[in-house]
Amino acid sequence: SCGDIVFGYAGLAVVLIAVAAAGGLGWIAGLAAAAFGAVGIGYAVAYLQLFIHEAAHYNIAPGRAANDRMANWLVCWQVGTRIEHYRRTHSEHHRHLGDADDTEISYTHRLTARFLLEMVTGVHALRVFTGRSGDRKPAKTSGGSVRPLVIGALVHFAILTALVALGAWAAALAWLGSMGVFFPLFATLRQLLEHRPAPGQTGESAVTRLF
């Protein structure tokens, strides 16, 4: 799993470098690269975030302590959480899949044009983040502690500051677009693919698909 995580970060770095280089070719090239880069970075972050799930089940490193350290240092900071907090939330998701106490409920939305627009514009991500994702219990990855959220926000701010200081304005725009729009979009689509109700079920039902 460590090699897979390194692979994800390598892809992230390649996209950032390519977008930064395109930004030096002018505004038009830079803006186009930022748009495509936001998609690529968002996909890479969504890929890396899959390892939070694996870490919650102690699957990314031998030994529970090593597993949790790797998760916290390599992937959890991206969404402002710690693995022990996410594990508690995710356990409730397994325990209550499809019922009123589920803690991960993006799959309850229908994949309509309106919902796609809400994801692309960041409205859905903001709604989930502020705990207004529906009339059921929202997912909360911070476990009630603001410290991981503050640390994650500071790391993202440091990345953006470094990119701007290096003159990589297009890469900075791509990073903002990836975290604000495309990472939440890919993460939500993955959950819809995994848990959306089967034909004939109600909107509050759920299944688990392996893919």
Side-chain angles (χ1 to χ4, degrees), residues 185-205:
L185 171 66
F186 289 130
T188 301
L189 287 176
R190 184 209 61 77
Q191 195 184 88
L192 279 165
L193 288 170
E194 182 179 9
H195 291 312
R196 72 188 187 281
Q201 289 183 309
T202 65
E204 294 189 353
S205 302

Side-chain angles (χ1 to χ4, degrees), residues 93-110:
H93 169 58
H94 278 288
R95 187 174 292 113
H96 296 291
L97 179 65
D99 69 30
D101 291 319
D102 196 346
T103 52
E104 299 175 20
I105 60 172
S106 289
Y107 64 84
T108 61
H109 295 274
R110 294 179 60 200

Side-chain angles (χ1 to χ4, degrees), residues 40-118:
I41 294 169
Y43 187 85
V45 172
Y47 165 85
L48 288 165
Q49 285 304 301
L50 294 177
F51 292 97
I52 285 187
H53 174 268
E54 294 308 304
H57 294 283
Y58 302 104
N59 287 335
I60 68 171
R64 294 192 172 192
N67 176 91
D68 286 7
R69 281 196 300 271
M70 183 179 294
N72 285 328
W73 280 99
L74 295 181
V75 291
C76 289
W77 67 267
Q78 294 175 336
V79 290
T81 190
R82 290 183 60 83
I83 191 60
E84 56 267 30
H85 300 158
Y86 174 73
R87 186 176 289 121
R88 289 195 293 270
T89 297
H90 188 65
S91 295
E92 292 301 303
H93 169 58
H94 278 288
R95 187 174 292 113
H96 296 291
L97 179 65
D99 69 30
D101 291 319
D102 196 346
T103 52
E104 299 175 20
I105 60 172
S106 289
Y107 64 84
T108 61
H109 295 274
R110 294 179 60 200
L111 191 57
T112 61
R114 176 179 175 177
F115 188 52
L116 280 171
L117 181 63
E118 288 177 348

